[in-house]
Amino acid sequence: MKYTEDHEWLRIEDDLIVVGITEHAATQLGDIVFVELPEVETMIAKGDEVVVIESVKAASDILAPVDGEIVEVNDALGDKPGLVNEDPTGEAWFFKVKVDDLSVLDSYMDEDEYQDLIS
Amino acid sequence: MTELLQLGLHALHLELGARMVPFAGYEMPVQYPMGVMAEHQHCRASAGLFDVSHMGQVILRPKGTLSETALALEALMPIDVLGLPEGRQRYGLFTNDSGGILDDLMAANRGDHLFVVVNAACKTADVAHMTAHLSATTEVEAVTGRALLALQGPKAEAALARLVPAVMAMRFMDVITAETLFGPLWISRSGYTGEDGFEISVPDGGARGLADALLAMEEVAAIGLGARDSLRLEAGLCLYGHDIDTDTTPVEAGLTWAIQKTRRSGGGRAGGFPGAARILNELASGPGRLRVGLRPEGKAPMREGTALFDGNRQVGQVTSGGFGPSVGQPIAMGYVLADKGEIGTSLTGDVRGKRLPVTVCPLPFHPTSYKR
């Protein structure tokens, strides 16, 4: 698992990158009541606002961590946005993205570096 | 940017694990570890303790008679203050010359003086405003050295009655003074959550003891500003600076219930407050726009600032919006043109470039449970 400074996690699954937010981020955001996901087949560029997460109080943007094409989104979050609080690194993944080169992940933090960031 | 002020109970909030945020010049607890959703539900089901010491407490002490002070205050707001009986509190609004709202407040008749509670962000201006206009009849004293706690929810009475049995006899909007081991408490049966409950002004020296005694009770949990906002929104209550401000009149805001008959055209003391011409005219002929409840049809909240459309024409905008934990859906309030204000009117709201359906609905979203 790799991590961004924006508190996203990224992991490789079947040549795709799966993206979600960390437990730390989910705790900071508070109770999630709505997640707006991108459409499948959307082309994204690193830094694009790709997901909107709404807590009781406020909306937050999640930025695309890599360039690529969205190939799958987690529709379960439509009915159960609270999954982001319950299981942020498991069931509550946001989307899967196809990238040209999986080595883009190399520039991101590993678990130890991320723990240092949030401690 | 001036430095943030700290509440007298700052240390307590940190001990409780609050997340502190800047609000109206103060460092305020926005939520505790329980979280906004659970804090909201706890207040609706049991009792929540809020520290609202940032709000302004002001004593209006007559130089002559209380009636003279009441009449002087009536010159600043379209409220029947003279007719407010001793031991009772009433909602009020300071208006400006164009009929806009300078602040909303609670005013209580405490026998030999009036006690006024105003919004934190407006308190300096309010004290200056009252001092400028009331000094012929009244000493305007900004109260220092007292905290303000709100205890809200269906179990608030049972909890507070263990410390102050006299609260059991109070009705909604009654005020009393109670001598306690925490010092003299100025208690009103009111609040801003839609629930039964109390606001308690307590000397700084007794505030920690009172808060600790209440929080030690099984029913009571500390509740932050986050849940205070979702609770008041579900109750259809206005937040100053958002739902009401100097550009909105009391009539547009749907606060006509606060304007008693005697201050209206044909009443014994009709008019005589700033902006009376416009406000009385809107009472007679209707305002151009109205504050309404709004229910987004989907799951996406419509936040403050969301533009509202009828077809391609913008007809209003959201002034408060979020998720209602007790409603289980997104809810909002906003202003729409008067002919779009009918319950059931279908509009759309612009959420991040998408026009999503939203319906005008009655307020409140969650029934109030005041002890009348």
Side-chain angles (χ1 to χ4, degrees), chain A residues 43-100:
Chain A
M43 298 303 295
I44 57 170
K46 185 175 171 175
D48 286 353
E49 293 169 3
V50 68
V51 173
V52 179
I53 302 180
E54 302 252 14
S55 69
V56 178
K57 189 75 185 132
S60 311
D61 293 318
I62 298 298
L63 306 182
V66 294
D67 298 344
E69 180 186 359
I70 303 283
V71 293
E72 192 178 343
V73 298
N74 188 355
D75 289 325
L77 298 179
D79 285 334
K80 294 182 71 180
L83 279 178
V84 179
N85 298 111
E86 289 162 27
D87 190 11
T89 53
E91 274 192 76
W93 58 276
F94 288 162
F95 57 85
K96 298 179 183 179
V97 57
K98 190 161 100 186
V99 297
D100 288 341

Side-chain angles (χ1 to χ4, degrees), chain B residues 247-260:
Chain B
D247 290 328
T248 59
T249 71
V251 187
E252 291 175 331
L255 300 173
T256 53
W257 54 268
I259 305 175
Q260 287 79 20

